[in-house]
Amino acid sequence: SVKEQFVSGEREIAKSPRPLGIKLITIVTFIGAIGSFLQVIMLPDQKLPLFGILLLSSVSSRIYLLISSVIGFYVAYNLWKLKKIGWIAYVVFYSFCIVSGLIYTLTVSEAILLEMLSKMKSAVLPMPLIFYKMCSLFGIVISVLLLAYVISRKKYFFRTKPL
């Protein structure tokens, strides 16, 4: 019956307070936030492309990366705690990241890509623009799948009883 499905769903949630997928996504989100923060510290003159059209100055890109890092830490902490705001923040922030990543991938020019790579101090081999775009699209597909997974686990974040 319908009532049994709701009751069994509650028991299922009670047995496993935090799904393995949410744990892994939280860890990856935390590592991404650390990566953004390290870029602020270690790459002071790096310029970032904004939607593939123009490069942000090094100061603007550092502010962007710092904000991204703070949001990443906030999202990771609240995902780990299975808080509603963690689910909402993940869905909103990563939806924005997917849309902006898609716009960036579709609009980035070879000139912007070469200028961005030339500013990096590490020995980065130049890559063809099509390969770069394919890698970016692959990352976007993975991000969409992760977002879909988190959305499908909404019940863990919107429960009436706290953990």
Side-chain angles (χ1 to χ4, degrees):
S1 77
V2 175
K3 183 178 178 183
E4 290 172 353
Q5 288 177 348
F6 283 110
V7 172
S8 65
E10 296 247 341
R11 287 185 193 139
E12 178 186 323
I13 292 172
K15 280 193 278 184
S16 59
R18 187 177 297 108
L20 179 61
I22 296 296
K23 287 179 188 178
L24 294 175
I25 289 171
T26 301
I27 291 167
V28 169
T29 302
F30 184 73
I31 291 170
I34 290 172
S36 291
F37 185 74
L38 289 176
Q39 283 183 329
V40 171
I41 296 169
M42 300 174 79
L43 301 172
D45 60 343
Q46 181 183 10
K47 294 182 177 184
L48 293 176
L50 179 65
F51 298 123
I53 300 167
L54 64 118
L55 287 173
L56 290 175
S57 70
S58 59
V59 173
S60 298
S61 62
R62 290 176 82 188
I63 292 169
Y64 170 81
L65 288 169
L66 186 61
I67 291 169
S68 178
S69 177
V70 168
I71 291 172
F73 285 125
Y74 179 79
V75 168
Y77 173 79
N78 286 298
L79 276 181
W80 188 260
K81 294 292 188 177
L82 295 177
K83 293 186 176 183
K84 289 179 191 178
I85 192 66
W87 185 89
I88 293 167
Y90 185 90
V91 169
V92 169
F93 183 63
Y94 285 94
S95 294
F96 170 77
C97 290
I98 289 167
V99 170
S100 64
L102 190 59
I103 292 170
Y104 166 74
T105 301
L106 296 175
T107 61
V108 68
S109 68
E110 195 164 0
I112 292 288
L113 181 61
L114 289 174
E115 185 177 347
M116 182 182 72
L117 293 175
S118 71
K119 300 292 181 189
M120 294 183 175
K121 294 180 181 180
S122 62
V124 177
L125 297 174
M127 65 179 86
L129 184 61
I130 189 71
F131 180 73
Y132 185 81
K133 286 185 175 192
M134 286 173 42
C135 290
S136 293
L137 286 174
F138 178 74
I140 290 168
V141 168
I142 297 298
S143 296
V144 167
L145 293 173
L146 292 175
L147 181 61
Y149 175 80
V150 170
I151 289 171
S152 74
R153 298 301 185 254
K154 182 179 180 178
K155 65 184 177 186
Y156 290 94
F157 298 91
F158 287 82
R159 57 173 88 188
T160 55
K161 297 177 187 176
L163 286 177

